[in-house]
Amino acid sequence: MKLYKEEKLQKYAELLVKVGMNVQPDQRVFIRATVDAKDFVHLVVEEAYKAGSKDVKVAYTDDRLAQLNFEYRDQSAFETVPQYLIDERMDYAKDYAAQLALISSSPENLKNADPAKVSAYMKAYGAGFKEYMKMMQSDQFSWTVAAYPSPAWAKLVFPELDETAAFEKLLDAILDSVRMNANDPVQAWVEHNDNLHAKADYLNEKAYVGLHYIAPGTDLTVGLPKGHIWSGASSINKAGHSFMANMPTEEVFSVPHKDQVNGTVSSTLPLSYGGNIIDEFKLTFKDGVVVDFDAKVGKDILEGLLNSDENARRLGEVALVPHDSPISNSKILYYNTLFDENASCHLALGSAYPFCIEGGKEMSEEELAANGLNNSITHEDFMIGSAEMNIMGITADGEEEPIFINGNWAF
């Protein structure tokens, strides 16, 4: 007889396969995970085969090996990505395989690494997988980002506990965040999906031309391109099948106009980027571009992010998340964007999602840019929401209407 936790993990694996990736008969599956998650990965692979997949590939990484690589290899080793790694993933992407990124790494895994090496690697990774990211951000295939704890990540989140207790507590928190505590998790996701789509429908009907963010340390206006689309929860892939890109998810999001961002915005939660923490940072925009920045923690890492390419200093996403939401109310700081972005309104530096503008999935890069969407090798969310955040929708005649008041939906 399976123990309660084992049964819950089996159902979590089933949820990722059936609701997250929505694996179809004869479809291939590509999974990225660390060796810390291998036991759970076995469950996911089994569920994928049960769903009818004909080929499930797992690409493992090892956090300790990554640390050793950054410690002993020259910077030149991080300036390119081996072509065989790109070819392997693209082979699955071009076959429209379902994709799962299972996050387990400690957000501080590379905190002792040379920042120049980290920046070089992140830049090379973004350039090497640019075609893959373009396909993903156009919903050509189903893709899901989810999580499973590692001991190092758990200790960062719960430093007061021993390793075993911290791991169990983080696992419980992750399972709760994806509604595994519901009597019927699949039905719970159906209802949650409907609720987020209702918020998106309201905003799409309003067709605001911009947003005005007001909070301590933040006074920012963000233009919205004509024909922008608000989305939330499930998406539709090229074959017409629904999937859940993020599990958990609490956001409703769209695209900003890349040239119409002005003012200053302050972070409210730490950002994990390239195995390092960036915290208490501030960005100042003029005509869409970051012209000034500062950070109390990780300023050199932030600078590397902003210099990833010529468009990394522009925004590619605006996302609305109520402060009164399950992850925020848990009072757990995950130091992980998948979770922390679903506890807070956020923005993203870098590339925009083509599906967030009318006809965007069929547009060329030049057409997307002409319509105000940013194109970059990076896409990094950072959290700006709080209980003191007010967000106004700007109408075509310049009036402002409340969307968020004191951190929560105003409608």
Side-chain angles (χ1 to χ4, degrees):
M1 179 181 294
K2 289 185 177 180
L3 298 176
Y4 169 72
K5 185 64 67 67
E6 291 175 332
E7 290 181 351
K8 211 169 188 180
L9 287 173
Q10 189 77 48
K11 289 184 179 298
Y12 179 32
E14 182 180 5
L15 186 73
L16 295 181
V17 168
K18 293 184 176 180
V19 176
M21 294 183 285
N22 190 11
V23 175
Q24 300 297 304
D26 293 325
Q27 187 177 26
R28 300 168 77 195
V29 175
F30 190 88
I31 299 171
R32 288 179 286 142
T34 73
V35 293
D36 290 294
K38 64 179 180 63
D39 290 341
F40 178 64
V41 169
H42 296 164
L43 299 180
V44 178
V45 170
E46 183 177 12
E47 289 298 330
Y49 280 128
K50 286 180 179 179
S53 176
K54 64 181 180 181
D55 171 23
V56 184
K57 167 66 179 179
V58 180
Y60 282 115
T61 57
D62 185 307
D63 287 351
R64 180 57 182 150
L65 290 181
Q67 292 172 354
L68 293 171
N69 283 335
F70 276 89
E71 181 177 355
Y72 290 104
R73 300 183 76 187
D74 293 333
Q75 183 172 325
S76 60
F78 301 98
E79 293 174 351
T80 58
V81 176
Q83 189 61 41
Y84 69 87
L85 294 177
I86 299 170
D87 291 343
E88 178 184 58
R89 198 185 305 180
M90 286 305 300
D91 179 70
Y92 282 83
K94 290 179 178 179
D95 199 25
Y96 306 110
Q99 311 263 333
L100 173 64
L102 193 63
I103 297 172
S104 297
S105 296
S106 167
E108 289 189 323
N109 190 52
L110 298 178
K111 69 177 181 180
N112 295 319
D114 181 347
K117 292 181 182 179
V118 174
S119 294
Y121 171 75
M122 297 301 289
K123 186 174 182 178
Y125 185 93
F129 288 101
K130 184 175 182 178
E131 184 181 359
Y132 172 84
M133 291 297 295
K134 182 179 178 181
M135 291 184 69
M136 187 183 82
Q137 292 180 335
S138 298
D139 288 346
Q140 295 293 300
F141 49 78
S142 301
W143 55 279
T144 301
V145 182
Y148 184 82
S150 67
W153 178 21
K155 278 293 290 181
L156 179 66
V157 176
F158 302 113
E160 73 283 1
L161 301 178
D162 64 50
E163 192 173 89
T164 300
F167 180 91
E168 290 295 326
K169 188 169 183 177
L170 182 55
L171 178 56
D172 285 338
I174 289 172
L175 293 173
D176 285 348
S177 76
V178 293
R179 293 169 165 75
M180 291 306 301
N181 54 355
N183 291 330
D184 185 344
V186 172
Q187 181 59 33
W189 273 93
V190 169
E191 295 171 3
H192 181 49
N193 184 49
D194 290 344
N195 181 55
L196 290 178
H197 278 293
K199 297 295 187 186
D201 290 344
Y202 174 91
L203 292 170
N204 285 326
E205 186 175 340
K206 283 290 186 178
Y208 292 118
V209 300
L211 304 173
H212 184 193
Y213 293 79
I214 307 162
T218 292
D219 189 349
L220 186 76
T221 57
V222 178
L224 299 172
K226 185 177 180 179
H228 69 275
I229 298 171
W230 288 93
S231 301
S234 64
S235 299
I236 305 295
N237 67 15
K238 183 180 178 69
H241 299 129
S242 66
F243 67 95
M244 204 70 63
N246 287 350
M247 300 185 80
T249 183
E250 303 291 338
E251 66 180 317
V252 174
F253 61 95
S254 191
V255 287
H257 194 293
K258 64 184 180 65
D259 302 321
Q260 297 176 7
V261 183
N262 289 281
T264 298
V265 63
S266 297
S267 68
T268 52
L269 291 171
L271 168 63
S272 174
Y273 173 76
N276 286 266
I277 298 295
I278 307 169
D279 199 9
E280 295 186 59
F281 59 94
K282 181 177 293 189
L283 305 174
T284 299
F285 290 83
K286 181 175 174 55
D287 298 330
V289 180
V290 175
V291 294
D292 193 21
F293 67 93
D294 197 10
K296 289 189 178 180
V297 178
K299 185 177 180 179
D300 50 354
I301 300 295
L302 176 59
E303 184 173 14
L305 167 57
L306 293 170
N307 292 334
S308 296
D309 65 12
E310 63 180 355
N311 288 328
R313 290 176 179 247
R314 296 180 185 270
L315 293 182
E317 180 185 348
V318 291
L320 307 178
V321 179
H323 185 69
D324 183 16
S325 60
I327 296 175
S328 176
N329 291 338
S330 75
K331 307 301 181 184
I332 297 173
L333 178 59
Y334 288 85
Y335 298 96
N336 180 292
T337 302
L338 174 63
F339 293 90
D340 294 336
E341 75 170 5
N342 286 301
S344 170
C345 287
H346 53 277
L347 305 170
L349 291 163
S351 60
Y353 292 112
F355 62 79
C356 282
I357 192 167
E358 293 175 5
K361 291 183 180 182
E362 290 74 43
M363 290 183 186
S364 66
E365 289 186 4
E366 293 74 19
E367 289 171 327
L368 289 168
N371 280 275
L373 273 67
N374 195 34
N375 179 29
S376 173
I377 62 173
T378 193
H379 179 98
E380 290 296 329
D381 300 296
F382 63 97
M383 285 58 75
I384 64 170
S386 71
E388 300 172 280
M389 170 69 78
N390 294 329
I391 304 173
M392 310 300 288
I394 304 172
T395 66
D397 59 8
E399 297 295 318
E400 293 193 355
E401 300 176 351
I403 296 176
F404 265 53
I405 295 295
N406 296 327
N408 292 306
W409 293 106
F411 59 88

